[in-house]
Amino acid sequence: MIFACIVIVGQCMVVDYSDLSWTENAGSYLGIVSMLLLIVSMVLSNQHEKKNTHK
């Protein structure tokens, strides 16, 4: 999760804030969204594992 957060910060630094269009920043947007989805999947996986170990 730490690595994903670092990648998100890095992608935010690369975004061209003067032109937020998809054509200029597609790679950065995809990187941010993919890392956010990775974090969500990790959190949900951890919750599922905790729930199964307490049974």
Side-chain angles (χ1 to χ4, degrees), residues 11 14-29:
Q11 290 295 334
V14 177
V15 171
D16 181 14
Y17 289 103
S18 63
D19 183 12
L20 294 175
S21 67
W22 178 260
T23 56
E24 288 293 320
N25 300 305
S28 295
Y29 292 156

Side-chain angles (χ1 to χ4, degrees), residues 26-40:
S28 295
Y29 292 156
L30 289 174
I32 292 168
V33 169
S34 65
M35 290 300 118
L36 288 173
L37 291 174
L38 181 68
I39 290 171
V40 168

Side-chain angles (χ1 to χ4, degrees), residues 4 9 17 26-28 31 38 43 45 49 51:
V9 170
Y17 289 103
S28 295
L38 181 68
V43 168
S45 176
E49 285 294 321
K51 187 173 107 177

